[in-house]
Amino acid sequence: MASRNCSWELLAASLTLTLALIHLVEANSEGDALYALRRSLSDPDHVLQSWDPTLVNPCTWFHVTCNQDNRVTRVDLGNSNLSGHLAPELGKLEHLQYLELYKNNIQGTIPSEFANLKSLISLDLYNNNLTGKIPTSLGKLKSLVFLRLNDNQLTGPIPRELTKIPSLKVVDVSSNDLCGTIPTGGPFEHIPLQNFENNSRLEGPELLGLASYDTNCN
């Protein structure tokens, strides 16, 4: 009987250790993803100085918030005088809810890997120097509520995939170089037109069934 109890205790201890190791590996992978962002950015004000990849997890880093399971849920780096590019590795932060990188000088494109941020509620990249198209893959972000991409240099059409996000409440893509027409389906029915202003090639709300929304748009 004592031998059986000992076996159960060993099994329980082994399972506990295994789960702890899994959490450690996951936390380390999230730290790696965030450190990839640090490496891709220029940080003259040293706001990322605490982002030390040798720590067990990134939950003690400034501007990073974690849940009770030590999974990253927020990255708050708005108005931090950062420049450089967005790291596609951020797409590995599957518990991330808020990605706040507004009012910096970040260049380059929005990584399509951001579509893997399945828990994302808010994507705030406004007031940067982002170029390229809005990834159609962002339509996979089924928890997204806030999408603010205004005051960049984004081109191309507004992806119709975004109309399939039922949770979406705020979309602002004003002051870019977008083209085509403004979606009117799904959540876009309630987005004010001022959130699309200052896109000289954007032609206004689409008239469903009458014209292709992306005519002469690239």
Side-chain angles (χ1 to χ4, degrees), residues 168-184:
L168 200 56
K169 300 296 182 186
V170 175
V171 176
D172 193 339
V173 293
S174 59
S175 300
N176 280 286
D177 189 27
L178 300 175
C179 54
T181 56
I182 300 169
T184 56

Side-chain angles (χ1 to χ4, degrees), residues 100-113:
E100 308 296 324
L101 287 165
Y102 55 87
K103 292 186 179 180
N104 285 293
N105 190 30
I106 299 172
Q107 301 172 328
T109 60
I110 301 172
S112 59
E113 289 84 355

Side-chain angles (χ1 to χ4, degrees), residues 90-196:
L90 288 178
K92 298 176 182 178
L93 302 175
E94 61 181 32
H95 295 270
L96 188 68
Q97 296 178 333
Y98 295 87
L99 182 56
E100 308 296 324
L101 287 165
Y102 55 87
K103 292 186 179 180
N104 285 293
N105 190 30
I106 299 172
Q107 301 172 328
T109 60
I110 301 172
S112 59
E113 289 84 355
F114 280 15
N116 297 323
L117 299 171
K118 61 183 181 181
S119 301
L120 198 65
I121 294 172
S122 177
L123 180 59
D124 281 332
L125 303 176
Y126 60 89
N127 280 105
N128 279 287
N129 285 303
L130 296 171
T131 55
K133 295 183 178 182
I134 301 172
T136 59
S137 57
L138 295 185
K140 297 178 181 178
L141 300 176
K142 299 306 181 184
S143 297
L144 195 65
V145 179
F146 306 100
L147 178 63
R148 287 175 279 234
L149 306 175
N150 49 290
D151 294 277
N152 280 289
Q153 301 175 42
L154 297 169
T155 56
I158 300 171
R160 266 36 187 188
E161 288 80 359
L162 298 177
T163 66
K164 306 300 183 183
I165 305 177
S167 56
L168 200 56
K169 300 296 182 186
V170 175
V171 176
D172 193 339
V173 293
S174 59
S175 300
N176 280 286
D177 189 27
L178 300 175
C179 54
T181 56
I182 300 169
T184 56
F188 282 80
E189 181 181 356
H190 306 290
I191 305 297
L193 288 178
Q194 68 210 42
N195 290 17
F196 305 95

